[in-house]
Amino acid sequence: SNIDWWCLICDFNCVRRACERTGVGGEDGNVSEREEFNNFIREIELEEVLCVRRKFTWYQPNGRARSKLDKMLASREWYNLWSGCTQYILDRNVSDH
């Protein structure tokens, strides 16, 4: 049988929305890069798993720039099976991502 349950957890080094990046390069950032990333997600039919506790997953050491680079993306089949799952962003003293 063909199993389509899969989940991708990764530091994509890219954001989906302007509000996911602040500081150096800021929210204006690279619009075409965001569009390409969102098109990729749509084309392979992924859904982003809900993220709670914190807004950003990466911080520049001096705190002037922040981004949400880490994402948990899942196939619809996987998400339907585990629809209650949540991604938690840990405190900065635990991980820089």
Side-chain angles (χ1 to χ4, degrees), residues 28-85:
D28 295 333
N30 188 334
V31 174
S32 63
E33 181 180 84
R34 288 194 310 265
E35 288 174 354
E36 187 175 325
F37 187 42
N38 284 311
N39 286 338
F40 160 76
I41 292 169
R42 257 190 311 278
E43 284 176 20
I44 59 175
E45 299 179 343
L46 295 176
E47 296 185 32
E48 188 168 358
V49 175
L50 176 67
C51 187
V52 297
R53 288 189 57 196
R54 304 197 181 286
K55 184 174 179 178
F56 303 105
T57 62
W58 176 86
Y59 293 80
Q60 194 174 48
N62 64 11
R64 292 185 61 202
R66 302 173 297 218
S67 297
K68 183 177 185 252
L69 302 177
D70 300 88
K71 309 238 185 277
M72 184 174 180
L73 305 171
S75 65
R76 287 186 182 119
E77 294 80 7
W78 189 93
Y79 198 80
N80 288 338
L81 191 59
W82 291 289
S83 61
C85 70

Side-chain angles (χ1 to χ4, degrees), residues 77-94:
E77 294 80 7
W78 189 93
Y79 198 80
N80 288 338
L81 191 59
W82 291 289
S83 61
C85 70
T86 306
Q87 176 185 5
Y88 289 90
I89 299 175
L90 301 175
D91 294 337
R92 285 180 61 194
N93 62 351
V94 175

